[in-house]
Amino acid sequence: MALLDTLITIILIAVIVFVFARGVVIIQPFQQGLQIRLGKYIGRLNPGFKWVVPLITRVEKLDLRTQVVEVPSQEVITKDNSPTNVDAIVFIRVIDPEKAFFQVGNYKGATVALAQTTLRGVIGDMELDEVLYNRDVINARLRDMLDRETDQWGVKVERVEIKEVDPIGAVKQAMTEQTSAERERRAAILRADGEKRSAILKAEGLRQSMILEAEGERQSKILRAEGERQSRILEAQGQAQGLRIVSVGARPLDKRAITVLSLDALKQMAQGQATKIIFPFEISSLIKQSARFLGATEELPDEEKPFAGDLDESILGPTPQTVQVNEILKDIVKNIPDTPEAGEMKTKEKVDFPPE
């Protein structure tokens, strides 16, 4: 009898321990527990060690962390009738455990289904090029639409990302050809732009060359004209000096000496081989002078009397010395502009100054 009582006691203790253990609930830090007793919601259970009435109380644990939900790939027809396979991922987080459990049977499945239908609607209102190049716009629109719809489920849609946009084979082939044509067009534009720039640079170079050539020619002409002017001045001064010497040497000569010289000149001209006979312009005066030389006397008019005064040499100017000529030449060379053409001219045509 004692053995039976001991056995019953052990069984009762085991049952009590089992029942007590069934009432123990451990809530993790990232979880929130919902306590339901006999079909009635009692309240939340915060993280930690909790004990509820066993057998008649059920605890539902919901994960409050951000969860990643994949939206399966599906074929979507864009606005320009281009079939495209599109898939996405959705980042969700439970912010209201009561709504997430009591308002929807499976908030994850509901979110995926809603994301699929919303994705078809958004992609269907856009052309293929917009889908390919405006993913940020699509992501923002999907997030706003899903967050607005899932708010009643206590679920927050934090982010939506389009994973892949894969057009079907025919559309992809057309896109490849379009891309190739676009690259050829850009290459043609770049070649044309390069040719245009090359032509502009060539024309600019030719213009600069012509300007420099014209400038060099102008400087050369200026230098030649200056040289000719100085040469003529020096030549005229030399002739003036020669005339001065002749005039000074002819002062002591009278008309008789001039007559003798003139007759001698005629004699020399007559001894030539020419068949022409040349008579001086003043032959009558020459005959008169010859007659006077032979002894004939005649009163000379005042204008034919020998010149007894002094010759005014101021009209000839000063006689340039060698030092002055060298200084003039040095000034001309010094005032030559520094241009490539002038440099070549200075190199090729060096001025040899006469000795002083």
Side-chain angles (χ1 to χ4, degrees):
M1 190 71 179
L3 181 60
L4 181 60
D5 292 338
T6 303
L7 182 59
I8 292 174
T9 302
I10 294 174
I11 292 174
L12 288 176
I13 293 173
V15 170
I16 291 171
V17 172
F18 174 75
V19 172
F20 182 82
R22 289 292 302 271
V24 175
V25 178
I26 298 177
I27 306 299
Q28 299 295 332
F30 54 85
Q31 291 178 337
Q32 189 76 46
L34 301 178
Q35 184 178 359
I36 303 172
R37 183 181 301 162
L38 297 176
K40 183 180 180 181
Y41 175 65
I42 302 302
R44 294 185 183 183
L45 292 178
N46 293 324
F49 177 85
K50 304 295 180 181
W51 188 86
V52 298
V53 179
L55 301 179
I56 61 174
T57 303
R58 183 164 61 95
V59 177
E60 295 292 340
K61 301 176 183 179
L62 280 79
D63 195 338
L64 302 183
R65 294 176 297 181
T66 300
Q67 303 176 52
V68 179
V69 179
E70 293 189 4
V71 179
S73 178
Q74 57 181 334
E75 184 174 324
V76 181
I77 298 178
T78 61
K79 187 177 180 179
D80 54 351
N81 298 323
S82 298
T84 305
N85 295 319
V86 182
D87 58 356
I89 54 176
V90 182
F91 297 85
I92 62 175
R93 181 168 60 88
V94 175
I95 59 175
D96 192 339
E98 287 85 355
K99 289 184 178 181
F101 183 77
F102 295 112
Q103 298 296 330
V104 61
N106 184 358
Y107 67 89
K108 290 185 179 180
T111 303
V112 171
L114 182 61
Q116 286 181 320
T117 57
T118 305
L119 183 60
R120 282 197 297 268
V122 173
I123 299 298
D125 292 336
M126 302 176 67
E127 296 183 355
L128 181 59
D129 291 339
E130 295 178 346
V131 175
L132 294 173
Y133 301 116
N134 295 326
R135 292 194 177 188
D136 292 339
V137 176
I138 298 174
N139 295 336
R141 290 180 61 184
L142 286 173
R143 183 194 61 196
D144 295 340
M145 296 175 68
L146 290 175
D147 187 54
R148 185 172 57 253
E149 295 296 331
T150 58
D151 184 65
Q152 59 184 345
W153 301 336
V155 177
K156 173 69 175 178
V157 177
E158 295 182 340
R159 189 173 180 181
V160 179
E161 290 290 340
I162 300 295
K163 288 178 60 178
E164 185 177 2
V165 178
D166 186 18
I168 63 174
V171 178
K172 188 179 294 185
Q173 179 67 25
M175 292 176 60
T176 303
E177 294 177 357
Q178 180 182 0
T179 303
S180 178
E182 180 66 19
R183 289 178 179 175
E184 291 179 359
R185 183 183 68 85
R186 292 181 181 178
I189 291 175
L190 292 176
R191 284 195 295 269
D193 185 68
E195 293 176 357
K196 183 186 74 171
R197 291 178 181 272
S198 176
I200 291 174
L201 292 176
K202 289 181 180 179
E204 184 68 19
L206 180 61
R207 185 177 70 87
Q208 292 293 338
S209 175
M210 294 177 66
I211 290 174
L212 293 176
E213 184 178 355
E215 181 66 20
E217 185 177 358
R218 184 179 69 86
Q219 295 293 340
S220 177
K221 289 182 179 180
I222 291 173
L223 293 176
R224 290 194 183 95
E226 183 67 20
E228 292 178 359
R229 185 178 70 86
Q230 293 295 336
S231 175
R232 290 177 181 176
I233 291 174
L234 294 176
E235 183 179 356
Q237 290 180 349
Q239 292 177 359
Q241 294 299 324
L243 292 174
R244 178 185 300 183
I245 293 173
V246 172
S247 63
V248 172
R251 281 185 179 181
L253 297 178
D254 56 3
K255 290 190 175 182
R256 292 182 179 181
I258 295 174
T259 301
V260 173
L261 293 175
S262 300
L263 291 174
D264 186 61
L266 288 175
K267 179 180 178 181
Q268 292 178 1
M269 293 173 60
Q271 291 177 357
Q273 299 297 326
T275 58
K276 296 181 180 179
I277 300 176
I278 301 175
F279 294 97
F281 181 75
E282 295 293 338
I283 191 171
S284 59
S285 299
L286 182 61
I287 295 174
K288 292 180 181 179
Q289 294 295 337
S290 301
R292 295 192 192 100
F293 181 72
L294 295 176
T297 60
E298 181 181 357
E299 186 68 21
L300 296 175
D302 295 336
E303 62 273 9
E304 294 183 1
K305 291 180 179 181
F307 178 75
D310 296 331
L311 179 64
D312 187 5
E313 299 180 1
S314 63
I315 61 173
L316 299 177
T319 303
Q321 302 297 324
T322 304
V323 177
Q324 297 177 354
V325 174
N326 290 341
E327 292 295 331
I328 293 173
L329 293 177
K330 290 179 180 179
D331 290 338
I332 293 174
V333 174
K334 185 185 300 181
N335 293 327
I336 295 177
D338 294 332
T339 59
E341 292 78 3
E344 295 179 0
M345 181 179 296
K346 289 179 181 180
T347 304
K348 295 180 179 179
E349 301 177 2
K350 294 185 179 178
V351 179
D352 295 331
F353 299 103
E356 297 179 359

